[in-house]
Amino acid sequence: MPPAYSLTYAQRAERHSNPAAKALLETIERKKSNLCVSVDVAKRADFLRVIDTVGPYVCLIKTHVDIIEDFEPALIERLNELSIKHDFLIFEDRKFADIGNTVALQYSSGVHKIAQWSHITNAHPVPGPSIIVGLSSVGLPLGRGLLLLAEMSTKGSLATGSYTEEAVRMARAHRDFVIGFIAQRRMDGVGASDVSSDEEDFLVLTPGVGLDSRGDSMGQQYRTPDEVVFESGCDVIIVGRGIYGKGNDVDTQTVQAQAERYRKEGWVAYEKRIARLS
Ligand code: S5P
């Protein structure tokens, strides 16, 4: 079996049995978009406006639902309607990091009831494998998928070296629910394994992507879609402020143009990678 990074998204969709991973790969192929927009805005109206504007250009919308000041449960209904209208999946970037029992409650309950609407969520591997056990007890029966934060985009991140390797080993032991990583490069071959890297196909979703800036004043670091998808072999680019700026006063045409610009850059980088490897 050829390694996953040399296959098309469509070929990889056939190799996955987790419903969220399969649906994401199929959506990427159908929309010719490996762009995920991260909608980090504080007002409900801005949140919906940005999503409705970028919806046609993305495979995935990433949310931080706890940022929204005027949250109400009906917002999730609107989000679901937009997900159907524009054909994208939803990823709540919750970054769980507690003991299994607590994360299971945080995932299923509270005001936000994340597991009910978010196809994909993520967790820090810091507590060890019990965090996956806790989250999968809620998410697996619902067909959800989990990403582990194996690396981070920020300056001085501690998620490097043996921490990253352990994250990959934890994922390998739970391949039914862990569909991939938040990371800056492919994780194939990271952490010695008796699993041939050709057999596994973890998705790599990569934040810290920008075309017009190399970072912000709070430690964020940006790379271009070409660096991320072509050079580092990642699967999905996650872009926030590079597309909508501050997110209020959204100028629809500008945001649309930026979303299409990132979609195109991400897709061209993927086609270049596939052409080089096939
Ligand atoms: O390592 C990381 C992991 C994540 S999920 N670095 C990140 O920036 N993120 C998230 O990606 C972060 O929480 C934010 O929602 C988004 C990046 O936003 P941007 O505006 O800097 O593109």
Side-chain angles (χ1 to χ4, degrees):
M1 189 78 83
Y5 59 83
S6 67
L7 300 176
T8 65
Y9 292 113
Q11 288 167 326
R12 292 170 64 186
E14 288 169 20
R15 290 170 41 147
H16 280 265
S17 52
N18 177 286
K22 206 182 216 356
L24 180 60
L25 287 160
E26 285 169 354
T27 307
I28 294 172
E29 184 71 41
R30 196 163 51 242
K31 293 183 78 175
K32 304 226 172 317
S33 171
N34 52 23
L35 171 65
C36 167
V37 173
S38 169
V39 190
D40 298 352
V41 297
K43 294 267 189 285
R44 203 165 63 197
D46 294 331
F47 179 77
L48 293 173
R49 198 171 310 122
V50 170
I51 296 174
D52 203 16
T53 305
V54 302
Y57 309 98
V58 303
C59 58
L60 187 66
I61 287 287
K62 185 173 85 56
T63 58
H64 281 298
V65 74
D66 57 351
I67 289 179
I68 300 170
E69 294 168 352
D70 48 358
F71 177 85
E72 53 166 20
L75 184 63
I76 298 303
E77 284 168 43
R78 301 288 89 74
L79 177 60
N80 280 331
E81 284 163 14
L82 290 173
S83 140
I84 292 164
K85 174 180 171 190
H86 294 301
D87 185 21
F88 60 74
L89 272 71
I90 303 165
F91 164 22
E92 165 59 22
D93 181 6
R94 178 61 180 74
K95 296 190 181 73
F96 292 102
D98 213 319
I99 63 165
N101 184 61
T102 301
V103 295
L105 289 166
Q106 289 172 322
Y107 189 24
S108 63
S109 309
V111 175
H112 297 125
K113 302 188 188 353
I114 293 164
Q116 280 186 14
W117 49 270
S118 182
H119 304 96
I120 295 170
T121 192
N122 56 357
H124 285 294
V126 67
S130 54
I131 194 166
I132 304 176
V133 175
L135 291 170
S136 70
S137 73
V138 174
L140 201 55
L142 296 171
R144 305 311 189 199
L146 182 72
L147 303 168
L148 289 181
L149 283 120
E151 293 179 328
M152 290 198 71
S153 60
T154 37
K155 235 173 256 164
S157 163
L158 304 182
T160 60
S162 59
Y163 181 91
T164 302
E165 287 172 19
E166 283 303 325
V168 177
R169 288 194 198 105
M170 273 170 59
R172 284 195 183 114
H174 297 89
R175 280 165 63 188
D176 50 352
F177 188 52
V178 182
I179 61 173
F181 304 100
I182 296 292
Q184 296 294 310
R185 61 195 160 109
R186 286 211 74 74
M187 290 288 120
D188 304 37
V190 171
S193 163
D194 48 7
V195 180
S196 146
S197 66
D198 294 359
E199 272 177 50
E200 63 185 30
D201 182 8
F202 288 115
L203 302 176
V204 179
L205 282 67
T206 305
V209 178
L211 282 163
D212 304 317
S213 155
R214 298 304 281 180
D216 68 11
S217 62
M218 297 189 193
Q220 177 66 296
Q221 305 176 109
Y222 293 123
R223 294 185 301 154
T224 64
D226 190 73
E227 288 172 300
V228 167
V229 176
F230 176 66
E231 289 177 22
S232 301
C234 306
D235 298 314
V236 172
I237 53 172
I238 299 177
V239 187
R241 289 164 289 173
I243 287 182
Y244 55 77
K246 290 203 174 100
N248 46 10
D249 266 349
V250 169
D251 171 46
T252 306
Q253 279 186 348
T254 309
V255 175
Q256 260 173 359
Q258 282 297 85
E260 169 56 11
R261 180 177 172 223
Y262 278 91
R263 186 208 63 79
K264 198 168 163 211
E265 292 266 344
W267 196 257
V268 167
Y270 155 71
E271 287 187 322
K272 211 164 99 180
R273 182 174 96 205
I274 294 299
R276 183 186 57 177
L277 293 168
S278 58

